């Protein structure tokens, strides 16, 4: 894993935007995997800024979001479709027809199962995900793959954990229905992406970040599955890195990476 520790959350956003920009430079019609939540908002703001400065184009990009709530309509102000429209899609030149968010507002279990199968199929038909952006829950989840999720899971319905419901309470009014189910890409689906880009900022993520990087591979920490991916970049700020025991080594290794890149020898961070 490539572990990059940066001074602040805004440095994380800049660094991640550089990785996205590089991906689009290599392949204008990249397939991007996108996340919602507070963490990627600064990255999306930076991508919008670079698009407005004509440094980036999303004209040929295809996107797939990680997850969507079950039980609220797509037009609800807290649906992940609304989130993506309001935080990114409305401000860039992506073709909205090329943006995919799991279709989860469906009346029956069978309809949801079919939707999950269709989502997997659409990703495969698009050629697979080139770059998947991820956040991490304080309980170590990725997407809505809560602790105890199968590390081989595919897109499916998941029951949200109490901790996730609590963490997301802030987005809903007190008297409002808060979803407790979601349709989410599975861990296996996520691991199929060619490059994983996980962002974490703030001290409330420090324990999950340590478990992801330095803990054992375990279904109890779904993000630890990144240990099995050969091209995973974990970009974190100092606060999220606070509990890492090998912090100095990661920083040293990153400096070596820059030096090796200058000499054309490539990197050794995976
Ligand atoms: C969002 C998602 C979640 C979030 C995670 C962190 O699509 O899949 O896994 O990335 O809950 O959320 P924030 O960034 O709000 O702390």
């Amino acid at each position: 894993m490539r572990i990059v520790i940066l001074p602040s959350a805004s440095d994380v956003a800049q660094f991640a935007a550089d990785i996205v920009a590089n991906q689009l430079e290599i392949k204008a019609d990249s397939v991007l995997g996108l996340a919602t939540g507070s963490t990627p908002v600064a990255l999306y703001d930076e991508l919008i800024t670079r698009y407005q400065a004509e440094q980036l184009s999303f004209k040929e990009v295809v996107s797939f979001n990680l997850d969507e709530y079950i039980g609220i309509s797509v037009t609800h102000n807290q649906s992940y479709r609304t989130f993506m429209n309001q935080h990114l899609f409305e401000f860039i030149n992506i073709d909205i027809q090329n943006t995919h968010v799991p279709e989860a507002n469906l009346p029956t279990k069978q309809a949801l199962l079919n939707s999950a199968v269709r989502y997997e199929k659409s990703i495969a038909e698009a050629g697979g995900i080139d770059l998947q952006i991820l956040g991490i829950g304080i309980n170590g989840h990725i997407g809505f793959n809560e602790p105890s999720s199968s590390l081989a899971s595919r897109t499916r319905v998941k029951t949200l954990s109490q901790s996730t419901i609590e963490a997301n309470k802030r987005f809903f009014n007190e008297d409002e229905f808060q979803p407790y189910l979601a349709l989410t890409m599975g861990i296996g689906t996520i691991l199929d992406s060619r490059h994983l880009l996980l962002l974490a900022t703030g001290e409330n993520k420090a324990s999950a970040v340590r478990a992801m990087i330095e803990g054992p591979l375990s279904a109890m920490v779904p993000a630890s599955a990144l240990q099995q991916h050969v091209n995973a970049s974990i970009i974190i700020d100092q606060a999220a890195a606070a509990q890492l025991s090998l912090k100095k080594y990661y920083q040293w290794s990153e400096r070596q990476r820059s030096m090796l890149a200058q000499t054309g020898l490539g990197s050794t961070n995976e």
Side-chain angles (χ1 to χ4, degrees):
M1 293 179 284
R2 179 180 184 193
I3 298 150
V4 183
I5 302 167
L6 298 168
S8 71
S10 77
D11 296 315
V12 169
Q14 293 288 333
F15 198 97
D18 288 346
I19 292 178
V20 175
N22 190 42
Q23 174 64 43
L24 297 185
E25 202 174 306
I26 297 167
K27 190 179 170 210
D29 58 350
S30 286
V31 179
L32 299 182
L34 301 174
T36 58
S38 307
T39 314
V41 170
L43 162 64
Y44 296 154
D45 287 347
E46 180 58 26
L47 294 177
I48 293 167
T49 302
R50 293 188 193 192
Y51 162 69
Q52 287 167 345
E54 293 179 15
Q55 293 163 4
L56 279 183
S57 173
F58 296 84
K59 201 162 175 272
E60 297 173 60
V61 166
V62 174
S63 74
F64 287 91
N65 263 78
L66 284 167
D67 40 23
E68 178 60 286
Y69 286 126
I70 295 172
I72 56 174
S73 78
V74 267
T75 53
H76 189 286
N77 64 353
Q78 290 306 327
S79 81
Y80 284 173
R81 164 53 76 181
T82 302
F83 177 100
M84 289 313 300
N85 289 346
Q86 293 181 348
H87 285 94
L88 185 64
F89 299 153
E90 283 171 11
F91 304 99
I92 58 173
N93 64 338
I94 197 163
D95 180 347
I96 204 75
Q97 304 293 337
N98 289 338
T99 68
H100 304 84
V101 178
E103 203 189 328
N105 184 29
L106 296 166
T108 62
K109 191 177 168 198
Q110 190 56 49
L112 284 162
L113 287 174
N114 295 344
S115 172
V117 170
R118 272 201 309 278
Y119 206 62
E120 289 278 338
K121 200 162 164 251
S122 307
I123 295 172
E125 280 168 5
I129 293 170
D130 292 303
L131 176 65
Q132 173 66 58
I133 294 159
L134 296 165
I136 181 172
I138 47 176
N139 64 359
H141 74 204
I142 45 173
F144 274 136
N145 296 285
E146 301 288 26
S148 78
S149 288
S150 159
L151 299 179
S153 51
R154 310 303 304 187
T155 303
R156 71 212 182 290
V157 174
K158 275 302 286 183
T159 303
L160 307 189
S161 70
Q162 308 296 346
S163 135
T164 299
I165 293 171
E166 196 56 41
N168 290 352
K169 241 192 186 119
R170 65 193 198 276
F171 298 116
F172 293 86
N173 298 325
E174 239 174 68
D175 54 353
E176 197 178 11
F177 167 77
Q178 187 184 346
Y180 54 90
L181 296 173
L183 198 64
T184 180
M185 277 187 205
I187 299 176
T189 320
I190 293 169
L191 290 179
D192 282 349
S193 306
R194 286 182 271 279
H195 184 183
L196 300 180
L197 175 60
L198 186 141
L199 314 180
T201 55
E203 64 179 335
N204 65 335
K205 297 292 172 69
S207 156
V209 164
R210 176 175 44 87
M212 162 176 64
I213 298 171
E214 298 182 342
L217 173 67
S218 165
M220 290 309 283
V221 182
S224 67
L226 269 67
Q227 295 174 17
Q228 289 214 306
H229 199 281
V230 289
N231 194 11
S233 304
I234 297 172
I235 320 298
I236 54 182
D237 67 357
Q238 286 287 354
Q243 291 185 27
L244 292 173
S245 67
L246 290 184
K247 194 169 151 186
K248 285 210 166 70
Y249 169 68
Y250 308 136
Q251 289 168 321
W252 154 249
S253 177
E254 216 18 57
R255 283 198 295 277
Q256 297 309 307
R257 185 186 174 100
S258 320
M259 278 172 53
L260 289 171
Q262 277 162 29
T263 59
L265 276 172
S267 75
T268 61
N269 295 53
E270 287 76 33

